[in-house]
Amino acid sequence: MSQSLPLYVIPEPPSIPKAREGMVVRTGSCHCGAVTYTLQTIPDLQQVKRCDCSICYRNAYAWYYAPSADDLVVHKSRLDALSTYSFGPKRAIHNFCGSCGVNTFNFFSDKVSGFPLRPVNVRTLNGGINVDELEEWKKEIVAGKKNGEWVVSFKDVQEEEEKT
């Protein structure tokens, strides 16, 4: 009797760092495994946001904003695995796998928020985060100009839905 292979094996990064005090290390990847990463987060991952920009809205991305750029460690199994895409004012660099097309994380210029933002698409975390159950999912990221400068802010989606 031959053994059948699993339909999908979750890709794991080559090494997993030790968690800092009060944090946990989570792993994630694109679908094909060409891009893997580790992310240090608080244990109760509730701070997940949705973005109102056209690409995030169309793809239903859910973002966790790492408190520090050092919390995200990216591993690539191939040098050409990561592709980037920017549009509009080109403040955000959307990173995605050049093979399977999954957007795992982004980089924002520190000109947008005053410090570098490194949002991670929680839908690419291993271990299954149910985004719809997260309380903070009701908040939306709004990027736009205020007094001629690009800013990022959060608004409560539930309040907006109640007004309509």
Side-chain angles (χ1 to χ4, degrees):
M1 181 177 214
S2 67
Q3 287 234 341
S4 63
L5 296 174
L7 294 177
Y8 181 70
V9 176
I10 296 173
E12 289 288 341
S15 62
I16 299 174
K18 184 180 177 190
R20 291 192 321 271
E21 186 176 334
M23 303 287 269
V24 296
V25 175
R26 300 176 191 272
T27 63
S29 68
C30 65
H31 191 263
C32 72
V35 177
T36 59
Y37 65 87
T38 56
L39 176 68
Q40 296 216 26
T41 71
I42 56 175
D44 183 21
L45 187 64
Q46 287 290 320
Q47 300 294 321
V48 175
K49 311 290 186 206
R50 57 183 166 185
C51 179
D52 73 339
C53 85
S54 57
I55 193 166
C56 292
Y57 180 81
R58 287 177 183 235
N59 290 293
Y61 295 141
W63 301 110
Y64 171 77
Y65 283 75
S68 163
D70 297 334
D71 290 340
L72 174 64
V73 178
V74 180
H75 310 274
K76 295 185 288 186
S77 61
R78 293 192 328 268
L79 292 177
D80 64 342
L82 205 55
S83 294
T84 62
Y85 175 70
S86 291
F87 63 96
K90 301 193 183 325
R91 303 275 190 210
I93 301 169
H94 296 262
N95 295 275
F96 59 94
C97 175
S99 295
C100 67
V102 170
N103 184 315
T104 49
F105 55 89
N106 293 337
F107 292 115
F108 281 88
S109 163
D110 56 359
K111 293 176 185 171
V112 174
S113 63
F115 55 93
L117 293 172
R118 305 291 184 254
V120 175
N121 183 358
V122 297
R123 296 184 192 273
T124 65
L125 286 170
N126 299 334
I129 304 287
N130 187 341
V131 174
D132 296 326
E133 291 179 1
L134 299 174
E135 186 62 33
E136 288 294 315
W137 180 237
K138 295 182 171 62
K139 295 200 176 180
E140 187 171 277
I141 303 158
V142 181
K145 283 194 172 185
K146 185 175 184 178
N147 299 327
E149 295 291 320
W150 279 93
V151 295
V152 175
S153 61
F154 300 100
K155 72 176 181 181
D156 194 321
V157 176
Q158 190 171 10
E159 287 177 11
E160 291 292 318
E161 290 170 353
E162 289 172 1
K163 288 179 186 176
T164 58

